[in-house]
């Protein structure tokens, strides 16, 4: 199976919202809300996140992850002078734990190593993906409420 990246397009918004909803599914399963309330919450939160990313990180790369040409996730990265900041990497639930995310993290680590930069990502403290970041050599460098800033450096790996 072949993976690839392509820039997001306006017609991807529904898919990107679906990916976002997948990242919140476990959390929302514990709420007593109706399906309509959950959908409205996801839409509101996605819209806020999407607007924030585009305003704060205008020069970032916003890409759709493809598997055999089919959209399965998203990867947002902001390349800065001293770091590559992963704004978001997320896959639809049925494509998690298949090595797709690891592949793109390794690609980013290789790029960072060649450029002499760090790789950083904010992750929620209890996000299951944190185990992946730990395995890939990311280390906590800062706590900020429910978020943890994790960093990878080639010289520390």
């Amino acid at each position: 199976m072949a993976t690839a990246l392509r820039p997001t397009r306006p017609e991807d918004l529904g898919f990107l919202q679906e990916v976002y909803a997948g990242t919140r599914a476990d959390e929302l399963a514990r709420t007593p809300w109706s399906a309509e309330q959950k959908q409205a919450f996801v839409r509101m939160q996605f819209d806020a996140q999407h607007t924030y990313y585009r305003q704060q990180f205008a020069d970032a790369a916003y890409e759709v992850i493809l598997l055999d040409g089919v959209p399965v996730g998203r990867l947002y990265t902001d390349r800065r002078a001293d770091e590559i900041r992963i704004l978001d990497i997320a896959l639809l639930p049925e494509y998690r734990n298949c090595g797709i995310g690891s592949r793109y993290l390794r690609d980013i680590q290789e790029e960072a190593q060649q450029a002499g930069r760090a790789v950083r990502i904010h992750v929620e403290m209890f996000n299951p993906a944190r185990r992946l970041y730990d395995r890939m050599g990311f280390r906590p460098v800062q706590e900020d409420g429910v978020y943890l800033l994790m960093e990878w450096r080639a010289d520390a790996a």
Side-chain angles (χ1 to χ4, degrees):
M1 292 194 276
T3 61
L5 296 172
R6 70 155 169 78
T8 60
R9 303 185 288 235
E11 60 267 25
D12 292 324
L13 278 177
F15 168 74
L16 297 172
Q17 182 177 318
E18 180 184 352
V19 172
Y20 177 80
T23 68
R24 304 295 298 265
D26 290 342
E27 171 189 3
L28 289 174
R30 296 186 297 270
T31 69
W33 299 344
S34 69
E36 293 79 20
Q37 289 170 315
K38 290 176 184 181
Q39 188 176 36
F41 175 80
V42 165
R43 186 174 37 255
M44 179 186 67
Q45 292 292 299
F46 170 78
D47 289 346
Q49 182 192 66
H50 182 76
T51 300
Y52 174 79
Y53 282 160
R54 296 295 174 142
Q55 287 176 348
Q56 297 300 312
F57 307 99
D59 295 328
Y62 297 93
E63 298 172 299
V64 172
I65 300 171
L66 304 170
L67 180 63
D68 293 333
V70 176
V72 298
R74 67 185 193 177
L75 176 60
Y76 300 166
T77 50
D78 188 34
R79 286 161 174 83
R80 303 172 181 181
D82 64 333
E83 72 175 356
I84 299 174
R85 178 66 59 106
I86 301 170
L87 303 175
D88 190 54
I89 182 169
L91 297 162
L92 292 171
E94 60 269 30
Y95 294 99
R96 294 179 193 152
N97 301 309
C98 299
I100 297 168
S102 300
R103 177 194 172 221
Y104 285 105
L105 288 173
R106 278 191 301 276
D107 288 351
I108 291 168
Q109 287 172 325
E110 184 177 308
E111 177 187 343
Q113 182 174 9
Q114 291 174 0
R117 299 183 203 171
V119 180
R120 294 186 183 104
I121 185 169
H122 275 100
V123 61
E124 290 179 328
M125 297 277 194
F126 302 107
N127 184 330
R130 183 170 171 204
R131 291 188 304 273
L132 170 63
Y133 305 132
D134 289 336
R135 282 195 313 272
M136 297 202 62
F138 285 80
R139 298 294 171 249
V141 294
Q142 180 182 350
E143 280 188 36
D144 184 19
V146 298
Y147 292 97
L148 185 64
L149 179 63
M150 299 188 77
E151 177 181 85
W152 178 89
R153 290 184 173 275
D155 56 10

